[in-house]
Amino acid sequence: MKESGLVSKLGVAIVNDSEISSEPWDSLALLASRAGMSTSGYRFFGDDGWEAHAPYDLSVLKLFRDLHAAMKAEGNDWKCALFTIKRSDMQLNVDFEYDDPDRWKFTVQG
């Protein structure tokens, strides 16, 4: 499957993930790193805040790894990828980082 097909399939799988879809949300921000082996993210609730949430279903996690493998085979070995989805229009945006694996690393500062 071509990269764009995997990205589309991944978007559908993310919004249908049992953990992500368990409660309403307005937008999602998910980070895949370590060749798709590690994911983290946040689910946002408009003015009501946010909570840490990442996909749980194994099929979703496998798609992250499949996307990385397909892109690496084409010479696009990303270090991390940021996936954002707005529920209002179900628009999926993906940004890939090819150099800095910590570019979008979610950290707590205090």
Side-chain angles (χ1 to χ4, degrees), residues 2 7 13 27 41 53 80-82 86 96 105:
K2 290 188 174 190
V7 168
S27 60
H53 259 284
C80 60
L82 180 63
K86 287 180 17 183
F96 297 100
K105 186 174 181 181

Side-chain angles (χ1 to χ4, degrees), residues 15-90:
V15 298
N16 290 310
D17 179 85
S18 61
E19 189 68 21
I20 298 294
S21 64
S22 66
E23 293 184 36
W25 50 271
D26 292 324
S27 60
L28 302 170
L30 304 171
L31 181 66
S33 58
R34 295 182 49 240
M37 299 292 287
S38 176
T39 60
S40 56
Y42 292 94
R43 183 166 54 183
F44 298 91
F45 307 99
D47 294 335
D48 296 328
W50 56 270
E51 64 184 7
H53 259 284
Y56 177 79
D57 297 343
L58 293 177
S59 60
V60 177
L61 303 176
K62 183 181 181 313
L63 284 169
F64 281 115
R65 292 189 303 271
D66 292 348
L67 177 62
H68 181 267
M71 291 182 69
K72 184 176 181 178
E74 299 275 326
N76 298 311
D77 185 13
W78 47 270
K79 304 302 180 206
C80 60
L82 180 63
F83 296 78
T84 57
I85 302 174
K86 287 180 17 183
R87 183 174 214 123
S88 61
D89 59 7
M90 290 307 228

